[in-house]
Amino acid sequence: MHPTCALIVWLAAVVGAQFVGYVGLVLLAMVALAWAPRSAYRWLAYVRRARWLLLALWLILAYGAPGEAWLDRAWAPTYEGMAEAGLQAVRLLVMLLWLAWLFTKQGLEGMVSGLWGLLRPWSSLGFKAERLVVRLSLVLDNLQTPQEKGGWRRMLLTGGHDPEGPVSLGLLVVPWAPRDTVAVLGCIAGLAGVWVL
């Protein structure tokens, strides 16, 4: 799959997840797992990292929505809040699954290449896609490597310049295939169907 197509599919899945209920979310999750079964391992790692975010999201929504209190207790969340919190938590889980799918299918290089392909048409309007892609790839590369203890001091002493950083950026170039066009048209049709329903 072309990296730009994979990024479009990912964006369509994330946007579509905001407009569907539990059945649609299960279908989205099944598609991601069927397309890349190995993404389940990365997804579980993402869920483990986001567990406190999920808990905070659930508590804020469960206690923040007005409605009838659970078990008629003043301190308890509302039924409506718990229903909304559960739905939003599942949406976040599905979005994390699709992020794991994207990284499993494309990797960091494919994601950067896909972003470059997605932003390149905007260059005719004066948008500097190359700068954004280079900066994003440097940030993502920096996040992948563990920092040494006290490394922030060295960064301050060198003025923020890393003399050991990469000198060039390689870009993965893959030809666009007819199946990529079919996938993008399928995403457009799926989003239109979700919006109409």
Side-chain angles (χ1 to χ4, degrees), residues 112-182:
V112 170
S113 177
L115 184 64
W116 180 74
L118 198 61
L119 297 177
R120 190 174 50 174
W122 297 96
S123 297
S124 61
L125 299 175
F127 183 74
K128 305 289 185 188
E130 295 84 10
R131 288 184 181 184
L132 178 67
V133 169
V134 168
R135 288 181 182 170
L136 180 65
S137 80
L138 290 174
V139 167
L140 292 174
D141 187 48
N142 193 25
L143 289 174
Q144 298 295 324
T145 57
Q147 300 298 316
E148 63 187 44
K149 188 172 182 178
W152 62 273
R153 288 188 185 105
R154 183 172 53 89
M155 186 175 69
L156 288 176
L157 291 175
T158 60
H161 302 291
D162 188 5
E164 301 169 6
V167 178
S168 63
L169 171 68
L171 200 59
L172 179 68
V173 178
V174 179
W176 188 271
R179 64 184 168 160
D180 298 321
T181 304
V182 171

Side-chain angles (χ1 to χ4, degrees), residues 53-63 77 81-82 85-86 89:
L53 175 65
L54 284 163
L55 177 63
L57 173 74
W58 193 90
L59 289 173
I60 289 169
L61 291 174
Y63 279 95
M82 289 190 301

Side-chain angles (χ1 to χ4, degrees), residues 61-74 76-82:
L61 291 174
Y63 279 95
E68 184 182 343
W70 182 58
L71 299 177
D72 288 330
R73 303 286 184 195
T78 63
Y79 287 108
E80 293 81 3
M82 289 190 301

Side-chain angles (χ1 to χ4, degrees), residues 191-197:
L191 284 175
V194 166
W195 185 70
V196 168
L197 295 177

Side-chain angles (χ1 to χ4, degrees), residues 99-120:
L99 184 64
W101 172 86
L102 181 64
F103 273 103
T104 301
K105 292 290 276 184
Q106 296 298 322
L108 182 60
E109 296 84 11
M111 194 170 117
V112 170
S113 177
L115 184 64
W116 180 74
L118 198 61
L119 297 177
R120 190 174 50 174

